[in-house]
């Protein structure tokens, strides 16, 4: 997100295209890749409907589109990262509410407790993200369990969600 944000700030379309391609290629499973593509296209359509027209990417990643929106609306990188993390957290809690079942009150308590951690995580990670060598983009993967579960999930006959 940070590298994409910086590239949009400098209108570096070649870097955006390369980063977008890298993000698509680094998704661990087809299911996660399809999720990213669908979300990227949906956000792109919304941005166009809001009279923001990001340069056309054949297969836009959600991250590159989210970063474009942040730059277009003048949202600071830190605030954008906090918003991105909160939207992910809220989505996870929403899913847990439906499948655990967690219950609305418990879900809101969990969301309130965990959201406090976001600002600290962003302030710790933002300098690291901005310091990344854009020529290597060797971010690595840190969630092998997610990849294994996603591989199993994408081949299940009945699924509640794509992701």
């Amino acid at each position: 997100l940070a590298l994409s944000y910086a590239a949009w700030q400098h209108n570096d379309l070649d870097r955006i295209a390369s980063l977008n391609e890298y993000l698509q290629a680094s998704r661990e499973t087809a299911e996660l890749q399809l999720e990213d593509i669908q979300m990227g296209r949906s956000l792109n359509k919304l941005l166009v409907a809001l009279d923001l027209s990001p340069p056309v990417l054949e297969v836009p990643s959600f991250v590159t589109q989210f970063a474009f929106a942040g730059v277009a609306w003048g949202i600071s990188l830190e605030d954008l990262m906090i918003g991105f993390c909160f939207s992910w957290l809220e989505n996870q809690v929403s899913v847990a509410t439906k499948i655990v079942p967690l219950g609305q009150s418990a879900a809101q308590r969990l969301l309130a407790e965990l959201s406090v951690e976001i600002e600290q995580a962003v302030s710790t990670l933002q300098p690291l993200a901005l310091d990344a060598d854009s020529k290597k983009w060797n971010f690595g993967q840190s969630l092998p369990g997610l990849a294994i579960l996603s591989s199993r999930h994408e081949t299940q006959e009945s699924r509640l969600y794509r992701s």
Side-chain angles (χ1 to χ4, degrees):
L1 184 64
L3 292 175
S4 183
Y5 184 92
W8 284 122
Q9 281 186 311
H10 295 98
N11 200 31
D12 188 343
L13 300 182
D14 289 337
R15 187 170 181 198
I16 288 292
S18 294
L19 181 57
N20 190 75
E21 185 178 322
Y22 180 89
L23 291 168
Q24 292 295 322
S26 67
R27 300 306 288 190
E28 296 89 344
T29 62
E31 181 175 44
L32 293 173
Q33 185 181 48
L34 289 173
E35 174 192 17
D36 187 47
I37 291 168
Q38 180 180 339
M39 290 175 62
R41 286 182 174 154
S42 295
L43 183 52
N44 182 273
K45 285 180 185 178
L46 175 62
L47 293 171
V48 169
L50 295 173
D51 293 327
L52 295 172
S53 296
V56 176
L57 295 169
E58 187 176 334
V59 184
S61 169
F62 180 71
V63 171
T64 57
Q65 298 304 289
F66 198 90
F68 174 84
V71 171
W73 285 323
I75 299 170
S76 72
L77 176 58
E78 182 176 4
D79 288 343
L80 190 69
M81 291 173 75
I82 289 169
F84 186 88
C85 291
F86 183 82
S87 70
W88 179 87
L89 176 61
E90 186 177 41
N91 181 54
Q92 298 305 304
V93 170
S94 175
V95 170
T97 302
K98 295 172 187 172
I99 64 173
V100 170
L102 190 57
Q104 289 296 326
S105 296
Q108 291 303 313
R109 279 192 302 276
L110 182 60
L111 190 57
E113 289 172 19
L114 294 174
S115 63
V116 173
E117 304 294 324
I118 292 173
E119 192 169 341
Q120 178 61 40
V122 166
S123 67
T124 300
L125 295 173
Q126 184 179 353
L128 296 173
L130 291 172
D131 202 31
D133 183 348
S134 64
K135 303 230 185 297
K136 294 182 183 172
W137 291 342
N138 186 13
F139 305 128
Q141 303 301 325
S142 61
L143 301 172
L146 173 67
I148 292 167
L149 291 174
S150 179
S151 296
R152 290 179 179 171
H153 186 258
E154 71 183 5
T155 59
Q156 282 181 324
E157 193 169 318
S158 63
R159 304 179 321 189
L160 293 174
Y161 307 100
R162 174 176 289 189
S163 61

